[in-house]
Amino acid sequence: RATGVCEPIQIYGDAEEPLSFTLKNVEITVREGIESVSVIDATNFEKVTMENVSLNGYESPKIICRTDGNVEVKNSTPVIAESLN
């Protein structure tokens, strides 16, 4: 469990060897007053998976995708995958 979160989780892999990242059985609550912050900011990733993840207090939970990669959400708070590439 993480509470009072005020920055997105930063995921930065190697362009030659993109990484995979999984959040599983996690509850994340954003700090009051900054509800528009992204949940994850990802670069050089193959896959981001959220499984049984509860996101609290976010206006519109989103994952920022700065490069191509897959986002998979299972039994979790819905998120928007926003591509910036």
Side-chain angles (χ1 to χ4, degrees):
R1 180 185 302 199
T3 59
V5 173
C6 60
E7 293 285 331
I9 297 168
Q10 299 289 324
I11 299 170
Y12 197 95
D14 185 289
E16 299 299 318
E17 192 172 328
L19 58 79
S20 291
F21 180 82
T22 300
L23 284 175
K24 186 173 183 177
N25 301 325
V26 177
E27 181 180 346
I28 302 172
T29 304
V30 73
R31 183 182 295 173
E32 188 175 329
I34 53 170
E35 295 85 358
S36 63
V37 69
S38 302
V39 179
I40 295 174
D41 192 317
T43 305
N44 298 331
F45 67 100
E46 182 178 337
K47 184 177 181 181
V48 171
T49 303
M50 294 176 64
E51 185 174 347
N52 298 319
V53 176
S54 176
L55 302 172
N56 303 306
Y58 291 89
E59 280 179 7
S60 180
K62 62 184 163 186
I63 297 174
I64 302 296
C65 304
R66 297 186 182 277
T67 55
D68 290 335
N70 295 315
V71 174
E72 186 174 337
V73 180
K74 303 176 189 174
N75 300 318
S76 299
T77 302
V79 297
I80 297 166
E82 183 177 317
S83 178
L84 297 183
N85 58 349

